[in-house]
Short mmCIF file of all heavy atoms in Angstrom, two decimals:
data_model
loop_
_atom_site.label_atom_id
_atom_site.label_comp_id
_atom_site.label_asym_id
_atom_site.label_seq_id
_atom_site.Cartn_x
_atom_site.Cartn_y
_atom_site.Cartn_z
N MET V 21 55.66 -107.75 1.59
CA MET V 21 54.66 -107.14 2.47
C MET V 21 55.30 -106.87 3.83
O MET V 21 56.05 -107.68 4.35
CB MET V 21 53.48 -108.09 2.62
CG MET V 21 52.31 -107.55 3.41
SD MET V 21 51.50 -106.06 2.80
CE MET V 21 50.76 -106.64 1.30
N HIS V 22 55.01 -105.74 4.37
CA HIS V 22 55.54 -105.34 5.66
C HIS V 22 54.89 -106.11 6.80
O HIS V 22 53.73 -106.49 6.70
CB HIS V 22 55.30 -103.83 5.90
CG HIS V 22 56.11 -102.98 4.99
ND1 HIS V 22 57.37 -102.58 5.31
CD2 HIS V 22 55.84 -102.45 3.77
CE1 HIS V 22 57.85 -101.83 4.33
NE2 HIS V 22 56.93 -101.75 3.38
N GLN V 23 55.63 -106.30 7.86
CA GLN V 23 55.10 -106.91 9.07
C GLN V 23 54.75 -105.77 10.02
O GLN V 23 55.62 -104.98 10.37
CB GLN V 23 56.14 -107.85 9.68
CG GLN V 23 55.64 -108.65 10.82
CD GLN V 23 54.78 -109.81 10.37
OE1 GLN V 23 53.90 -109.67 9.54
NE2 GLN V 23 55.02 -110.96 10.91
N ILE V 24 53.50 -105.67 10.39
CA ILE V 24 53.05 -104.59 11.28
C ILE V 24 52.65 -105.20 12.62
O ILE V 24 51.93 -106.19 12.67
CB ILE V 24 51.83 -103.84 10.67
CG1 ILE V 24 52.20 -103.23 9.33
CG2 ILE V 24 51.28 -102.81 11.63
CD1 ILE V 24 53.24 -102.15 9.39
N ARG V 25 53.13 -104.59 13.69
CA ARG V 25 52.76 -105.05 15.04
C ARG V 25 52.42 -103.82 15.88
O ARG V 25 53.08 -102.80 15.80
CB ARG V 25 53.92 -105.80 15.67
CG ARG V 25 54.30 -107.06 14.91
CD ARG V 25 55.40 -107.80 15.60
NE ARG V 25 54.90 -108.33 16.87
CZ ARG V 25 54.63 -109.60 17.09
NH1 ARG V 25 54.81 -110.47 16.14
NH2 ARG V 25 54.20 -110.01 18.26
N PHE V 26 51.38 -103.96 16.66
CA PHE V 26 50.97 -102.92 17.58
C PHE V 26 51.07 -103.46 19.00
O PHE V 26 50.80 -104.64 19.22
CB PHE V 26 49.54 -102.46 17.30
CG PHE V 26 49.35 -101.87 15.93
CD1 PHE V 26 48.75 -102.61 14.93
CD2 PHE V 26 49.77 -100.60 15.65
CE1 PHE V 26 48.56 -102.09 13.66
CE2 PHE V 26 49.60 -100.05 14.38
CZ PHE V 26 48.99 -100.80 13.38
N GLU V 27 51.44 -102.63 19.94
CA GLU V 27 51.53 -103.04 21.34
C GLU V 27 50.12 -103.00 21.95
O GLU V 27 49.67 -101.94 22.37
CB GLU V 27 52.49 -102.14 22.11
CG GLU V 27 53.93 -102.27 21.63
CD GLU V 27 54.87 -101.37 22.41
OE1 GLU V 27 54.69 -101.25 23.64
OE2 GLU V 27 55.77 -100.82 21.80
N ALA V 28 49.46 -104.13 21.96
CA ALA V 28 48.06 -104.21 22.36
C ALA V 28 47.81 -103.70 23.78
O ALA V 28 46.77 -103.09 24.02
CB ALA V 28 47.56 -105.64 22.22
N GLU V 29 48.76 -103.92 24.67
CA GLU V 29 48.53 -103.49 26.06
C GLU V 29 48.46 -101.96 26.19
O GLU V 29 47.92 -101.45 27.16
CB GLU V 29 49.59 -104.07 27.00
CG GLU V 29 51.00 -103.55 26.80
CD GLU V 29 51.77 -104.27 25.69
OE1 GLU V 29 51.24 -105.22 25.10
OE2 GLU V 29 52.92 -103.87 25.44
N ARG V 30 48.96 -101.25 25.22
CA ARG V 30 48.93 -99.78 25.27
C ARG V 30 47.68 -99.22 24.59
O ARG V 30 47.47 -98.02 24.60
CB ARG V 30 50.16 -99.20 24.57
CG ARG V 30 51.45 -99.48 25.29
CD ARG V 30 52.64 -98.90 24.57
NE ARG V 30 52.40 -97.52 24.17
CZ ARG V 30 53.02 -96.91 23.18
NH1 ARG V 30 53.90 -97.55 22.45
NH2 ARG V 30 52.74 -95.65 22.88
N LEU V 31 46.86 -100.08 23.99
CA LEU V 31 45.72 -99.63 23.20
C LEU V 31 44.40 -99.83 23.93
O LEU V 31 44.23 -100.80 24.66
CB LEU V 31 45.68 -100.37 21.86
CG LEU V 31 46.91 -100.27 20.98
CD1 LEU V 31 46.75 -101.16 19.75
CD2 LEU V 31 47.19 -98.84 20.58
N THR V 32 43.48 -98.92 23.69
CA THR V 32 42.12 -99.08 24.20
C THR V 32 41.43 -100.19 23.41
O THR V 32 41.93 -100.64 22.38
CB THR V 32 41.30 -97.78 24.05
OG1 THR V 32 41.14 -97.52 22.65
CG2 THR V 32 42.00 -96.59 24.73
N ALA V 33 40.25 -100.58 23.84
CA ALA V 33 39.51 -101.64 23.14
C ALA V 33 39.21 -101.22 21.69
O ALA V 33 39.37 -102.01 20.76
CB ALA V 33 38.21 -101.95 23.87
N GLY V 34 38.81 -99.98 21.49
CA GLY V 34 38.54 -99.48 20.14
C GLY V 34 39.78 -99.45 19.29
O GLY V 34 39.76 -99.82 18.10
N HIS V 35 40.89 -99.03 19.89
CA HIS V 35 42.14 -98.99 19.16
C HIS V 35 42.62 -100.39 18.80
O HIS V 35 43.19 -100.61 17.73
CB HIS V 35 43.21 -98.25 19.97
CG HIS V 35 42.97 -96.78 20.03
ND1 HIS V 35 43.81 -95.92 20.72
CD2 HIS V 35 42.01 -95.99 19.51
CE1 HIS V 35 43.37 -94.67 20.60
NE2 HIS V 35 42.27 -94.71 19.87
N ARG V 36 42.40 -101.36 19.70
CA ARG V 36 42.77 -102.75 19.39
C ARG V 36 41.96 -103.27 18.21
O ARG V 36 42.48 -104.01 17.38
CB ARG V 36 42.56 -103.64 20.62
CG ARG V 36 43.70 -103.56 21.61
CD ARG V 36 43.64 -104.66 22.65
NE ARG V 36 42.44 -104.63 23.46
CZ ARG V 36 42.32 -103.94 24.59
NH1 ARG V 36 43.32 -103.24 25.04
NH2 ARG V 36 41.19 -103.96 25.25
N LYS V 37 40.69 -102.87 18.13
CA LYS V 37 39.85 -103.31 17.02
C LYS V 37 40.40 -102.75 15.70
O LYS V 37 40.45 -103.45 14.68
CB LYS V 37 38.41 -102.85 17.24
CG LYS V 37 37.44 -103.41 16.25
CD LYS V 37 36.01 -103.09 16.64
CE LYS V 37 35.03 -103.70 15.66
NZ LYS V 37 33.64 -103.39 16.00
N ILE V 38 40.85 -101.50 15.73
CA ILE V 38 41.43 -100.87 14.52
C ILE V 38 42.73 -101.60 14.16
O ILE V 38 42.94 -101.94 13.00
CB ILE V 38 41.70 -99.37 14.77
CG1 ILE V 38 40.39 -98.62 14.99
CG2 ILE V 38 42.50 -98.76 13.62
CD1 ILE V 38 40.55 -97.23 15.59
N ALA V 39 43.59 -101.82 15.14
CA ALA V 39 44.86 -102.51 14.91
C ALA V 39 44.64 -103.90 14.33
O ALA V 39 45.32 -104.30 13.38
CB ALA V 39 45.67 -102.58 16.19
N ASP V 40 43.67 -104.62 14.87
CA ASP V 40 43.37 -105.96 14.39
C ASP V 40 42.92 -105.91 12.93
O ASP V 40 43.35 -106.72 12.11
CB ASP V 40 42.30 -106.60 15.26
CG ASP V 40 42.00 -108.04 14.88
OD1 ASP V 40 42.96 -108.82 14.81
OD2 ASP V 40 40.83 -108.37 14.67
N TYR V 41 42.08 -104.95 12.59
CA TYR V 41 41.61 -104.80 11.21
C TYR V 41 42.79 -104.51 10.30
O TYR V 41 42.92 -105.10 9.22
CB TYR V 41 40.57 -103.69 11.10
CG TYR V 41 40.08 -103.55 9.68
CD1 TYR V 41 39.01 -104.32 9.21
CD2 TYR V 41 40.69 -102.68 8.79
CE1 TYR V 41 38.59 -104.22 7.89
CE2 TYR V 41 40.28 -102.59 7.47
CZ TYR V 41 39.22 -103.35 7.04
OH TYR V 41 38.81 -103.27 5.72
N ILE V 42 43.67 -103.61 10.70
CA ILE V 42 44.82 -103.23 9.87
C ILE V 42 45.69 -104.45 9.61
O ILE V 42 46.08 -104.71 8.46
CB ILE V 42 45.63 -102.11 10.55
CG1 ILE V 42 44.83 -100.80 10.52
CG2 ILE V 42 46.99 -101.93 9.86
CD1 ILE V 42 45.44 -99.70 11.37
N VAL V 43 45.99 -105.21 10.64
CA VAL V 43 46.85 -106.39 10.49
C VAL V 43 46.22 -107.41 9.52
O VAL V 43 46.91 -107.98 8.69
CB VAL V 43 47.15 -107.02 11.87
CG1 VAL V 43 47.80 -108.39 11.72
CG2 VAL V 43 48.04 -106.10 12.69
N LYS V 44 44.91 -107.59 9.63
CA LYS V 44 44.23 -108.57 8.80
C LYS V 44 43.98 -108.10 7.37
O LYS V 44 43.77 -108.92 6.47
CB LYS V 44 42.91 -108.97 9.43
CG LYS V 44 43.08 -109.79 10.68
CD LYS V 44 41.75 -110.14 11.31
CE LYS V 44 41.97 -110.99 12.55
NZ LYS V 44 40.69 -111.25 13.24
N HIS V 45 43.98 -106.79 7.14
CA HIS V 45 43.67 -106.24 5.82
C HIS V 45 44.76 -105.28 5.34
O HIS V 45 44.47 -104.31 4.65
CB HIS V 45 42.33 -105.51 5.87
CG HIS V 45 41.20 -106.41 6.26
ND1 HIS V 45 40.79 -106.54 7.58
CD2 HIS V 45 40.42 -107.24 5.54
CE1 HIS V 45 39.80 -107.40 7.63
NE2 HIS V 45 39.55 -107.85 6.42
N LEU V 46 45.97 -105.58 5.66
CA LEU V 46 47.10 -104.68 5.39
C LEU V 46 47.20 -104.29 3.91
O LEU V 46 47.51 -103.15 3.58
CB LEU V 46 48.40 -105.32 5.86
CG LEU V 46 49.60 -104.42 6.01
CD1 LEU V 46 49.31 -103.27 6.96
CD2 LEU V 46 50.78 -105.21 6.52
N GLN V 47 46.87 -105.21 3.03
CA GLN V 47 46.99 -104.92 1.59
C GLN V 47 46.01 -103.87 1.14
O GLN V 47 46.24 -103.19 0.14
CB GLN V 47 46.80 -106.22 0.76
CG GLN V 47 45.40 -106.78 0.77
CD GLN V 47 45.01 -107.59 2.00
OE1 GLN V 47 45.79 -107.73 2.95
NE2 GLN V 47 43.81 -108.11 2.01
N ASN V 48 44.93 -103.64 1.87
CA ASN V 48 43.93 -102.63 1.49
C ASN V 48 44.22 -101.24 2.07
O ASN V 48 43.70 -100.25 1.56
CB ASN V 48 42.54 -103.06 1.98
CG ASN V 48 42.09 -104.35 1.35
OD1 ASN V 48 42.48 -104.68 0.24
ND2 ASN V 48 41.28 -105.09 2.05
N ILE V 49 45.00 -101.17 3.11
CA ILE V 49 45.21 -99.93 3.84
C ILE V 49 45.73 -98.78 2.98
O ILE V 49 45.24 -97.66 3.10
CB ILE V 49 46.13 -100.16 5.06
CG1 ILE V 49 45.49 -101.16 6.03
CG2 ILE V 49 46.47 -98.85 5.78
CD1 ILE V 49 44.11 -100.78 6.55
N PRO V 50 46.67 -99.00 2.06
CA PRO V 50 47.15 -97.87 1.24
C PRO V 50 46.05 -97.19 0.41
O PRO V 50 46.20 -96.05 0.00
CB PRO V 50 48.20 -98.50 0.33
CG PRO V 50 48.69 -99.69 1.08
CD PRO V 50 47.46 -100.21 1.82
N TYR V 51 44.96 -97.89 0.17
CA TYR V 51 43.88 -97.35 -0.67
C TYR V 51 42.73 -96.80 0.14
O TYR V 51 41.72 -96.36 -0.43
CB TYR V 51 43.37 -98.46 -1.61
CG TYR V 51 44.50 -99.14 -2.34
CD1 TYR V 51 44.96 -100.38 -1.95
CD2 TYR V 51 45.16 -98.48 -3.38
CE1 TYR V 51 46.01 -101.00 -2.61
CE2 TYR V 51 46.22 -99.08 -4.04
CZ TYR V 51 46.65 -100.33 -3.65
OH TYR V 51 47.71 -100.91 -4.30
N MET V 52 42.85 -96.84 1.45
CA MET V 52 41.74 -96.43 2.33
C MET V 52 41.95 -95.03 2.90
O MET V 52 43.07 -94.54 2.97
CB MET V 52 41.60 -97.42 3.50
CG MET V 52 41.23 -98.81 3.06
SD MET V 52 41.10 -99.96 4.46
CE MET V 52 39.47 -99.50 5.07
N THR V 53 40.84 -94.42 3.31
CA THR V 53 40.87 -93.17 4.07
C THR V 53 40.53 -93.51 5.51
O THR V 53 40.10 -94.63 5.82
CB THR V 53 39.82 -92.19 3.52
OG1 THR V 53 38.52 -92.74 3.75
CG2 THR V 53 40.04 -91.90 2.04
N GLU V 54 40.69 -92.53 6.39
CA GLU V 54 40.27 -92.75 7.76
C GLU V 54 38.77 -93.03 7.85
O GLU V 54 38.32 -93.84 8.66
CB GLU V 54 40.62 -91.54 8.64
CG GLU V 54 42.08 -91.46 8.98
CD GLU V 54 42.39 -90.41 10.02
OE1 GLU V 54 41.60 -89.47 10.22
OE2 GLU V 54 43.47 -90.53 10.63
N GLN V 55 38.00 -92.41 6.97
CA GLN V 55 36.56 -92.65 6.94
C GLN V 55 36.26 -94.09 6.55
O GLN V 55 35.36 -94.73 7.13
CB GLN V 55 35.87 -91.67 5.99
CG GLN V 55 35.86 -90.24 6.46
CD GLN V 55 37.20 -89.50 6.21
OE1 GLN V 55 38.10 -89.98 5.52
NE2 GLN V 55 37.32 -88.33 6.81
N ASP V 56 37.01 -94.62 5.59
CA ASP V 56 36.84 -96.01 5.18
C ASP V 56 37.16 -96.95 6.34
O ASP V 56 36.44 -97.90 6.60
CB ASP V 56 37.77 -96.37 4.01
CG ASP V 56 37.49 -95.62 2.75
OD1 ASP V 56 36.33 -95.22 2.50
OD2 ASP V 56 38.45 -95.42 1.95
N LEU V 57 38.27 -96.66 7.00
CA LEU V 57 38.69 -97.50 8.13
C LEU V 57 37.66 -97.46 9.26
O LEU V 57 37.34 -98.50 9.85
CB LEU V 57 40.06 -97.04 8.62
CG LEU V 57 40.78 -97.90 9.65
CD1 LEU V 57 40.88 -99.35 9.21
CD2 LEU V 57 42.17 -97.34 9.92
N ALA V 58 37.12 -96.28 9.52
CA ALA V 58 36.09 -96.14 10.54
C ALA V 58 34.86 -96.96 10.17
O ALA V 58 34.29 -97.68 11.01
CB ALA V 58 35.73 -94.68 10.73
N ALA V 59 34.45 -96.88 8.92
CA ALA V 59 33.26 -97.62 8.47
C ALA V 59 33.48 -99.12 8.57
O ALA V 59 32.58 -99.86 8.99
CB ALA V 59 32.90 -97.21 7.04
N GLN V 60 34.65 -99.59 8.19
CA GLN V 60 34.93 -101.03 8.21
C GLN V 60 35.04 -101.58 9.62
O GLN V 60 34.73 -102.76 9.84
CB GLN V 60 36.23 -101.33 7.45
CG GLN V 60 36.13 -101.12 5.97
CD GLN V 60 35.10 -102.06 5.33
OE1 GLN V 60 35.07 -103.25 5.62
NE2 GLN V 60 34.25 -101.51 4.48
N THR V 61 35.46 -100.77 10.57
CA THR V 61 35.66 -101.25 11.94
C THR V 61 34.48 -100.92 12.86
O THR V 61 34.40 -101.44 13.96
CB THR V 61 36.93 -100.65 12.56
OG1 THR V 61 36.85 -99.22 12.55
CG2 THR V 61 38.17 -101.13 11.81
N GLY V 62 33.62 -100.01 12.41
CA GLY V 62 32.51 -99.60 13.27
C GLY V 62 32.96 -98.67 14.39
O GLY V 62 32.30 -98.52 15.40
N ILE V 63 34.10 -98.04 14.17
CA ILE V 63 34.69 -97.11 15.15
C ILE V 63 34.56 -95.70 14.57
O ILE V 63 34.65 -95.51 13.37
CB ILE V 63 36.19 -97.46 15.38
CG1 ILE V 63 36.37 -98.92 15.83
CG2 ILE V 63 36.85 -96.51 16.34
CD1 ILE V 63 35.84 -99.24 17.19
N SER V 64 34.41 -94.70 15.44
CA SER V 64 34.25 -93.33 14.94
C SER V 64 35.53 -92.83 14.27
O SER V 64 36.64 -93.27 14.59
CB SER V 64 33.88 -92.38 16.08
OG SER V 64 35.00 -92.17 16.93
N VAL V 65 35.34 -91.88 13.35
CA VAL V 65 36.48 -91.26 12.67
C VAL V 65 37.39 -90.60 13.69
O VAL V 65 38.63 -90.64 13.56
CB VAL V 65 36.01 -90.26 11.58
CG1 VAL V 65 37.19 -89.53 10.96
CG2 VAL V 65 35.20 -90.98 10.50
N ALA V 66 36.83 -89.96 14.70
CA ALA V 66 37.64 -89.31 15.73
C ALA V 66 38.53 -90.32 16.45
O ALA V 66 39.71 -90.03 16.71
CB ALA V 66 36.74 -88.60 16.74
N THR V 67 38.00 -91.49 16.76
CA THR V 67 38.80 -92.51 17.42
C THR V 67 39.89 -93.04 16.49
O THR V 67 41.03 -93.27 16.92
CB THR V 67 37.90 -93.67 17.91
OG1 THR V 67 36.96 -93.13 18.84
CG2 THR V 67 38.71 -94.76 18.59
N VAL V 68 39.54 -93.21 15.22
CA VAL V 68 40.57 -93.63 14.24
C VAL V 68 41.67 -92.60 14.17
O VAL V 68 42.86 -92.94 14.17
CB VAL V 68 39.94 -93.87 12.84
CG1 VAL V 68 41.02 -94.10 11.79
CG2 VAL V 68 38.95 -95.03 12.88
N SER V 69 41.32 -91.33 14.16
CA SER V 69 42.32 -90.24 14.14
C SER V 69 43.23 -90.28 15.36
O SER V 69 44.43 -90.06 15.24
CB SER V 69 41.64 -88.88 14.05
OG SER V 69 41.00 -88.75 12.81
N ARG V 70 42.66 -90.54 16.53
CA ARG V 70 43.46 -90.63 17.76
C ARG V 70 44.33 -91.88 17.80
O ARG V 70 45.37 -91.91 18.46
CB ARG V 70 42.55 -90.58 18.99
CG ARG V 70 41.95 -89.22 19.25
CD ARG V 70 41.22 -89.16 20.59
NE ARG V 70 40.07 -90.04 20.63
CZ ARG V 70 38.83 -89.70 20.29
NH1 ARG V 70 38.57 -88.49 19.89
NH2 ARG V 70 37.84 -90.59 20.39
N PHE V 71 43.90 -92.91 17.13
CA PHE V 71 44.62 -94.19 17.11
C PHE V 71 46.06 -94.04 16.68
O PHE V 71 46.96 -94.64 17.26
CB PHE V 71 43.90 -95.18 16.20
CG PHE V 71 44.71 -96.41 15.89
CD1 PHE V 71 44.85 -97.42 16.81
CD2 PHE V 71 45.36 -96.53 14.66
CE1 PHE V 71 45.61 -98.55 16.53
CE2 PHE V 71 46.11 -97.66 14.37
CZ PHE V 71 46.23 -98.65 15.30
N TRP V 72 46.31 -93.24 15.65
CA TRP V 72 47.66 -93.17 15.07
C TRP V 72 48.71 -92.73 16.08
O TRP V 72 49.80 -93.30 16.13
CB TRP V 72 47.66 -92.26 13.83
CG TRP V 72 46.64 -92.74 12.87
CD1 TRP V 72 45.48 -92.12 12.52
CD2 TRP V 72 46.61 -94.00 12.20
NE1 TRP V 72 44.75 -92.90 11.67
CE2 TRP V 72 45.43 -94.08 11.47
CE3 TRP V 72 47.49 -95.10 12.16
CZ2 TRP V 72 45.10 -95.18 10.69
CZ3 TRP V 72 47.16 -96.18 11.38
CH2 TRP V 72 45.98 -96.22 10.66
N LYS V 73 48.38 -91.74 16.88
CA LYS V 73 49.36 -91.27 17.88
C LYS V 73 49.66 -92.36 18.91
O LYS V 73 50.81 -92.60 19.25
CB LYS V 73 48.85 -90.01 18.56
CG LYS V 73 49.88 -89.40 19.49
CD LYS V 73 49.57 -87.96 19.76
CE LYS V 73 50.63 -87.36 20.64
NZ LYS V 73 51.50 -86.47 19.92
N SER V 74 48.61 -93.05 19.37
CA SER V 74 48.84 -94.10 20.35
C SER V 74 49.60 -95.29 19.75
O SER V 74 50.24 -96.05 20.46
CB SER V 74 47.51 -94.58 20.97
OG SER V 74 46.71 -95.21 20.02
N ALA V 75 49.53 -95.44 18.43
CA ALA V 75 50.23 -96.52 17.74
C ALA V 75 51.64 -96.10 17.33
O ALA V 75 52.38 -96.89 16.75
CB ALA V 75 49.44 -96.95 16.50
N GLY V 76 52.00 -94.84 17.58
CA GLY V 76 53.37 -94.39 17.30
C GLY V 76 53.56 -93.66 15.98
O GLY V 76 54.68 -93.53 15.50
N TYR V 77 52.48 -93.19 15.40
CA TYR V 77 52.55 -92.46 14.12
C TYR V 77 51.94 -91.08 14.29
O TYR V 77 51.08 -90.86 15.14
CB TYR V 77 51.78 -93.24 13.03
CG TYR V 77 52.36 -94.60 12.81
CD1 TYR V 77 51.85 -95.70 13.49
CD2 TYR V 77 53.44 -94.81 11.96
CE1 TYR V 77 52.38 -96.96 13.32
CE2 TYR V 77 53.99 -96.06 11.78
CZ TYR V 77 53.45 -97.15 12.48
OH TYR V 77 53.98 -98.38 12.30
N ALA V 78 52.34 -90.15 13.46
CA ALA V 78 51.81 -88.79 13.52
C ALA V 78 50.34 -88.77 13.09
O ALA V 78 49.52 -88.08 13.69
CB ALA V 78 52.62 -87.85 12.66
N ASN V 79 50.03 -89.53 12.05
CA ASN V 79 48.67 -89.58 11.50
C ASN V 79 48.59 -90.73 10.48
O ASN V 79 49.57 -91.46 10.29
CB ASN V 79 48.29 -88.24 10.84
CG ASN V 79 49.34 -87.77 9.85
OD1 ASN V 79 49.91 -88.55 9.08
ND2 ASN V 79 49.64 -86.47 9.85
N PHE V 80 47.44 -90.89 9.85
CA PHE V 80 47.24 -91.98 8.90
C PHE V 80 48.20 -91.85 7.72
O PHE V 80 48.77 -92.85 7.24
CB PHE V 80 45.78 -91.98 8.44
CG PHE V 80 45.36 -93.23 7.69
CD1 PHE V 80 45.94 -94.46 7.90
CD2 PHE V 80 44.29 -93.16 6.81
CE1 PHE V 80 45.51 -95.59 7.23
CE2 PHE V 80 43.84 -94.28 6.14
CZ PHE V 80 44.45 -95.52 6.35
N LYS V 81 48.42 -90.64 7.26
CA LYS V 81 49.34 -90.40 6.14
C LYS V 81 50.74 -90.86 6.50
O LYS V 81 51.43 -91.49 5.69
CB LYS V 81 49.31 -88.91 5.78
CG LYS V 81 50.04 -88.57 4.52
CD LYS V 81 49.85 -87.10 4.20
CE LYS V 81 50.46 -86.74 2.87
NZ LYS V 81 50.20 -85.34 2.52
N ASP V 82 51.18 -90.58 7.72
CA ASP V 82 52.49 -91.02 8.20
C ASP V 82 52.57 -92.54 8.23
O ASP V 82 53.55 -93.13 7.80
CB ASP V 82 52.76 -90.43 9.59
CG ASP V 82 54.10 -90.82 10.16
OD1 ASP V 82 55.11 -90.80 9.42
OD2 ASP V 82 54.14 -91.15 11.37
N PHE V 83 51.51 -93.20 8.72
CA PHE V 83 51.48 -94.66 8.73
C PHE V 83 51.59 -95.22 7.33
O PHE V 83 52.37 -96.12 7.06
CB PHE V 83 50.19 -95.15 9.40
CG PHE V 83 50.05 -96.65 9.36
CD1 PHE V 83 50.79 -97.44 10.21
CD2 PHE V 83 49.16 -97.24 8.48
CE1 PHE V 83 50.68 -98.83 10.16
CE2 PHE V 83 49.03 -98.61 8.44
CZ PHE V 83 49.79 -99.41 9.28
N LYS V 84 50.82 -94.69 6.40
CA LYS V 84 50.86 -95.15 5.02
C LYS V 84 52.25 -94.95 4.41
O LYS V 84 52.77 -95.82 3.71
CB LYS V 84 49.83 -94.41 4.16
CG LYS V 84 48.41 -94.83 4.38
CD LYS V 84 47.55 -94.03 3.44
CE LYS V 84 46.10 -94.34 3.51
NZ LYS V 84 45.33 -93.57 2.52
N ARG V 85 52.86 -93.81 4.68
CA ARG V 85 54.19 -93.51 4.16
C ARG V 85 55.19 -94.55 4.66
O ARG V 85 55.99 -95.07 3.90
CB ARG V 85 54.61 -92.11 4.60
CG ARG V 85 55.79 -91.54 3.87
CD ARG V 85 56.11 -90.10 4.25
NE ARG V 85 54.96 -89.22 4.12
CZ ARG V 85 54.43 -88.49 5.12
NH1 ARG V 85 54.98 -88.51 6.32
NH2 ARG V 85 53.39 -87.73 4.91
N GLN V 86 55.15 -94.86 5.95
CA GLN V 86 56.06 -95.84 6.50
C GLN V 86 55.74 -97.25 5.99
O GLN V 86 56.64 -98.04 5.75
CB GLN V 86 56.05 -95.78 8.02
CG GLN V 86 56.68 -94.49 8.51
CD GLN V 86 56.94 -94.48 9.99
OE1 GLN V 86 57.16 -95.51 10.59
NE2 GLN V 86 56.89 -93.30 10.58
N LEU V 87 54.48 -97.55 5.79
CA LEU V 87 54.04 -98.82 5.26
C LEU V 87 54.61 -99.06 3.86
O LEU V 87 55.04 -100.12 3.51
CB LEU V 87 52.52 -98.89 5.25
CG LEU V 87 51.88 -100.20 4.82
CD1 LEU V 87 52.25 -101.32 5.77
CD2 LEU V 87 50.37 -100.03 4.75
N GLN V 88 54.63 -97.99 3.07
CA GLN V 88 55.10 -98.07 1.70
C GLN V 88 56.62 -97.92 1.59
O GLN V 88 57.18 -98.04 0.50
CB GLN V 88 54.39 -97.03 0.83
CG GLN V 88 52.91 -97.32 0.72
CD GLN V 88 52.14 -96.23 0.02
OE1 GLN V 88 52.65 -95.12 -0.17
NE2 GLN V 88 50.92 -96.52 -0.36
N GLY V 89 57.25 -97.65 2.74
CA GLY V 89 58.72 -97.60 2.75
C GLY V 89 59.32 -96.31 2.25
O GLY V 89 60.46 -96.27 1.87
N ASP V 90 58.53 -95.20 2.24
CA ASP V 90 59.05 -93.92 1.79
C ASP V 90 59.89 -93.25 2.85
O ASP V 90 59.76 -93.45 4.00
CB ASP V 90 57.90 -92.97 1.40
CG ASP V 90 57.21 -93.46 0.13
OD1 ASP V 90 57.74 -94.37 -0.51
OD2 ASP V 90 56.16 -92.92 -0.19
#
């Protein structure tokens, strides 16, 4: 399993909530959509979409690709 870390000081409160969810549920992330992630965190899909850039990824697909080691 990959070790994922986000720089919390660079994230908004909503983005920190997303990052915390990802770290705690990393095994589920490859099977989720942005809509799923938004529903699980109570954060809007638009905020989830913006999260990836602030976390250093192009988008959710890019994050998943790197998570899976492609």
Side-chain angles (χ1 to χ4, degrees):
M21 185 61 67
H22 291 273
Q23 188 77 314
I24 300 295
R25 298 182 68 105
F26 298 103
E27 294 181 38
E29 68 276 358
R30 292 180 47 205
L31 303 176
T32 65
H35 287 180
R36 279 193 298 272
K37 188 172 182 181
I38 296 165
D40 185 53
Y41 181 87
I42 291 169
V43 169
K44 290 179 180 175
H45 301 93
L46 197 57
Q47 70 280 3
N48 298 332
I49 299 302
Y51 310 103
M52 297 179 79
T53 65
E54 284 190 339
Q55 291 79 11
D56 296 332
L57 189 53
Q60 291 297 315
T61 58
I63 304 292
S64 73
V65 175
T67 300
V68 172
S69 293
R70 288 189 295 270
F71 167 77
W72 305 112
K73 186 160 183 107
S74 67
Y77 300 93
N79 51 40
F80 193 27
K81 189 175 185 177
D82 180 44
F83 176 75
K84 286 181 179 183
R85 194 175 307 122
Q86 291 191 30
L87 184 63
Q88 295 173 345
D90 291 350

